[in-house]
Amino acid sequence: LFIESYAGCNLSCPGCNREAIEGSRTDLTMGFDTYKKVIDGLSPTLKYMEFHLGGENYMHKDAHDMVRYCRDKNPECFILSSTNGHFFHTEERCQKVLDSDIDALIFSVDGARQETYEKYRVNGRFDRVFEAMRKILAMRRAQGLRRPIVIWRYILFEWNDSAEEIDRK
């Protein structure tokens, strides 16, 4: 299952056609009841879910509860999401990720410093996202958890593809 709970985004990346994604919908948010119907219809045998498509799912107020709902209905399901990472800036929000029991969380961070990162992730804050990755990993470790797997997705461009840039972190 590939599902998008929220079609909007807080960033303006040049490779993303926000107008096509957001303009094709009458509402950017999937209702939780609709989501439940989809999950219920596939349960208890759903084996794989990507909780993302073209939007930033963690802008949805119920994102963590949605992931948890899928986990509760489908204990064997591998659940993955991709995020720009801007919505994990507090300990409470990081804890919600851990409590959702998601298997893997991909952070799209295309640079190792603000100057290179923001060339593609327009309006993004490198320090906020990098700290979110660190915080989730530290909290996971402190709680003795094995997931989520945190993945740093780094798309190479001419401005961020150097040994100096990649060696920074």
Side-chain angles (χ1 to χ4, degrees):
L1 173 66
F2 293 78
I3 197 159
E4 178 178 70
S5 67
Y6 191 81
C9 189
N10 57 313
L11 302 183
S12 300
C13 306
C16 184
N17 187 342
R18 296 283 1 125
E19 186 177 318
I21 294 169
E22 294 175 12
S24 67
R25 292 151 171 93
T26 55
D27 190 351
L28 297 180
T29 304
M30 174 185 277
F32 202 175
D33 287 339
T34 301
Y35 175 83
K36 285 180 177 181
K37 285 179 187 176
V38 171
I39 298 301
D40 291 347
L42 298 169
S43 298
T45 60
L46 182 62
K47 298 295 183 204
Y48 181 82
M49 179 175 81
E50 286 194 22
F51 187 67
H52 68 95
L53 231 60
E56 173 55 51
N57 274 336
Y58 289 96
M59 289 178 74
H60 194 295
K61 67 180 181 65
D62 296 318
H64 303 289
D65 294 331
M66 290 170 134
V67 171
R68 185 75 234 183
Y69 187 83
C70 182
R71 168 67 66 225
D72 291 345
K73 293 288 188 169
N74 301 278
E76 301 299 315
C77 184
F78 186 89
I79 306 170
L80 172 138
S81 190
S82 180
T83 180
N84 64 41
H86 283 81
F87 297 93
F88 308 106
H89 58 286
T90 67
E91 193 167 308
E92 177 185 2
R93 288 185 180 207
C94 290
Q95 186 60 52
K96 284 183 176 187
V97 170
L98 299 175
D99 292 343
S100 75
D101 204 21
I102 193 166
D103 292 288
L105 193 56
I106 300 168
F107 283 80
S108 296
V109 186
D110 313 306
R113 56 195 169 95
Q114 182 65 32
E115 296 75 24
T116 50
Y117 167 76
E118 70 186 352
K119 285 186 179 183
Y120 190 75
R121 303 291 167 182
V122 179
N123 299 322
R125 290 188 35 212
F126 174 81
D127 60 336
R128 183 174 180 153
V129 177
F130 194 74
E131 182 56 32
M133 289 191 293
R134 282 186 164 165
K135 191 179 300 183
I136 288 169
L137 288 169
M139 291 173 68
R140 182 190 76 182
R141 190 172 23 256
Q143 294 174 36
L145 302 173
R146 295 181 51 178
R147 57 183 180 222
I149 298 166
V150 172
I151 301 160
W152 181 346
R153 177 183 289 146
Y154 190 109
I155 301 172
L156 292 176
F157 298 100
E158 70 177 33
W159 62 82
N160 68 0
D161 183 14
S162 69
E164 176 188 6
E165 182 76 14
I166 293 172
D167 286 346
R168 291 183 63 89
K169 297 291 175 200

